[in-house]
Amino acid sequence: MCFTEYRKYLKARGMDVVGIKEIAKMAGVSVSTVSNVINGRKNVGKETRERVLQICEEMGYQPNLMGKSLKSGKTNTIVFNFSDFERSFYLKIIKGINDYLSENGFDLIVCTTSSSKNFMRNNFAGGAIVLDKKMDNEFLASVADEQFPIVVMDRIVDNDYIKSVIVENYTVMCELVQSLIDKGFRDFGYIGGIESSLDHQERFQAFKDTLEKNNISFQRTNYYFGDFTEESGFRAANILTLSNKLPEVLVCANDNMAVGAIKALKESNYSVPEDISVTGFDDSSIAETYGITTVSIPRYESGYLAAKELVEMIRGTANKDIFKISAKMKWRNSVK
């Protein structure tokens, strides 16, 4: 019985939708083999794979979100994974990604939470942009390949199929701290982010190096732990207010923590910047609302460039160099 006749046979019995079991029967293979083929796994021989795909096409079997990509193994869908809804700059990044992809004929799917890993497959998408600290390097390396390149925006990964598009944290933080020193500040406090993150490491290293360059000592007791959230900035500043003496300026590793710190300081009847100056990093919308001196990162442009680099990887025209995005200081009234 040919494929067309078999399909008529199924329709006559009210089985118009061909399932994976029927595909397996026609191909003379197991259901698990068909599943491996349609999920893009590499543990199926070439002849078997081609036979299964041919039957899928002739029987009109199209698994969800695959469509015509079954035959070619390619898709114009790109996944953007991120892990934090709190920071408003994600919207700017997403707009930048979407604009470039739209201009170049790609579709975008945005996802978050633990289910994001379910979309990291080359039969689902042609590549991924990742800004998700929950996805570790080992997982990314296990799914990245020639058919599924990845751009990461929060770390550097040594892998031929993973490219980094990151902020030039170190240089601009050095400029910020040096400017504070030039304004006469000598007594510094610091609220750090997640210590394993590249953003924290580069920003704090720049902070320390600039103080050392100017022969200014930094007491570890003036370092406060945070995790980039407003709540952690609030907790850190609460602890700070218990000391006998405030530093002259509190440098925060991002804007959210700076906002939390300002709220805690005000609750303890300290004025910013009259009693203590505060700086942030990111230039999110909340930083403008609270008048925070910060570092302005071009978030839209970073998303646009991340998408550009990924498309070039898909097309085989990208280089392997890390792409670093420059940032600049933005002075507001949180610094005396």
Side-chain angles (χ1 to χ4, degrees):
M1 184 183 295
C2 69
F3 298 150
T4 303
E5 290 174 344
Y6 186 62
R7 192 174 186 184
K8 289 180 180 178
Y9 171 82
L10 292 173
K11 290 183 71 174
R13 284 156 179 76
M15 300 171 63
D16 188 31
V17 179
V18 179
I20 193 171
K21 291 182 179 179
E22 287 72 37
I23 298 297
K25 182 176 180 180
M26 292 298 294
V29 298
S30 67
V31 171
S32 62
T33 296
V34 176
S35 177
N36 287 335
V37 171
I38 65 178
N39 283 290
R41 301 189 181 102
K42 301 177 181 179
N43 58 345
V44 181
K46 181 180 178 181
E47 289 186 7
T48 301
R49 180 184 300 278
E50 290 179 350
R51 176 166 174 76
V52 169
L53 292 176
Q54 180 186 356
I55 294 171
C56 287
E57 184 178 49
E58 296 190 17
M59 294 297 291
Y61 177 69
Q62 295 184 348
N64 290 340
L65 301 170
M66 290 179 67
K68 295 181 180 180
S69 67
L70 269 175
K71 185 72 175 178
S72 65
K74 295 181 179 179
T75 171
N76 279 349
T77 298
I78 300 300
V79 175
F80 174 54
N81 289 325
F82 70 104
S83 61
D84 186 355
F85 279 112
E86 186 172 322
R87 288 180 279 180
S88 61
F89 63 68
Y90 280 113
L91 297 176
K92 298 178 183 179
I93 293 173
I94 291 169
K95 179 168 174 51
I97 292 172
N98 187 63
D99 283 356
Y100 185 85
L101 294 180
S102 296
E103 292 166 6
N104 287 272
F106 286 81
D107 298 318
L108 174 65
I109 289 180
V110 178
C111 53
T112 188
T113 74
S114 58
S115 63
S116 297
K117 290 185 177 181
N118 297 330
F119 300 95
M120 299 287 282
R121 307 190 306 269
N122 63 17
N123 67 317
F124 178 85
I129 300 171
V130 176
L131 184 50
D132 187 345
K133 56 182 176 289
K134 296 176 184 176
M135 287 192 181
D136 58 39
N137 292 353
E138 290 73 17
F139 172 76
L140 294 176
S142 73
V143 296
D145 58 26
E146 186 175 4
Q147 300 301 318
F148 191 76
I150 295 173
V151 168
V152 291
M153 300 182 70
D154 59 354
R155 73 196 83 176
I156 297 173
V157 182
D158 185 14
N159 185 290
D160 288 341
Y161 305 110
I162 301 175
K163 177 156 185 172
S164 298
V165 174
I166 58 174
V167 177
E168 176 56 273
N169 290 296
Y170 185 88
T171 300
V172 71
M173 179 60 96
C174 286
E175 292 175 2
L176 174 62
V177 177
Q178 185 61 55
S179 295
L180 292 170
I181 294 170
D182 293 343
K183 288 178 179 294
F185 292 101
R186 293 295 183 271
D187 187 6
F188 286 78
Y190 191 90
I191 301 181
I194 298 170
E195 294 201 318
S196 60
S197 70
L198 182 65
D199 283 344
H200 164 81
Q201 292 168 2
E202 292 187 337
R203 293 170 192 180
F204 186 50
Q205 190 63 51
F207 171 80
K208 292 191 298 180
D209 288 351
T210 307
L211 293 184
E212 183 178 347
K213 176 184 174 183
N214 288 271
N215 298 314
I216 298 173
S217 63
F218 177 70
Q219 303 299 323
R220 188 66 182 182
T221 53
N222 283 337
Y223 177 92
Y224 301 89
F225 293 91
D227 59 9
F228 293 124
T229 65
E230 183 178 315
E231 291 78 9
S232 69
F234 187 90
R235 290 193 301 268
N238 263 339
I239 295 171
L240 170 64
T241 60
L242 298 177
S243 64
N244 293 326
K245 180 178 178 296
L246 294 181
E248 295 174 321
V249 58
L250 181 63
V251 176
C252 303
N254 80 336
D255 292 335
N256 283 347
M257 294 191 297
V259 169
I262 289 172
K263 289 181 177 180
L265 289 164
K266 287 185 176 180
E267 280 194 10
S268 296
N269 296 317
Y270 290 106
S271 296
V272 176
E274 288 76 16
D275 297 319
I276 179 173
S277 295
V278 177
T279 68
F281 203 109
D282 285 331
D283 196 23
S284 60
S285 58
I286 198 170
E288 185 174 2
T289 300
Y290 279 82
I292 297 172
T293 292
T294 186
V295 169
S296 180
I297 298 172
R299 293 297 178 183
Y300 171 87
E301 290 78 3
S302 66
Y304 192 92
L305 289 168
K308 178 177 182 294
E309 293 297 322
L310 181 60
V311 169
E312 289 182 356
M313 291 176 75
I314 292 170
R315 293 173 175 169
T317 59
N319 61 49
K320 303 299 181 182
D321 297 337
I322 297 169
F323 195 108
K324 292 193 174 185
I325 298 168
S326 60
K328 60 183 180 180
M329 292 178 290
K330 182 162 288 188
W331 295 96
R332 297 194 177 100
N333 59 13
S334 66
V335 172
K336 190 174 181 179

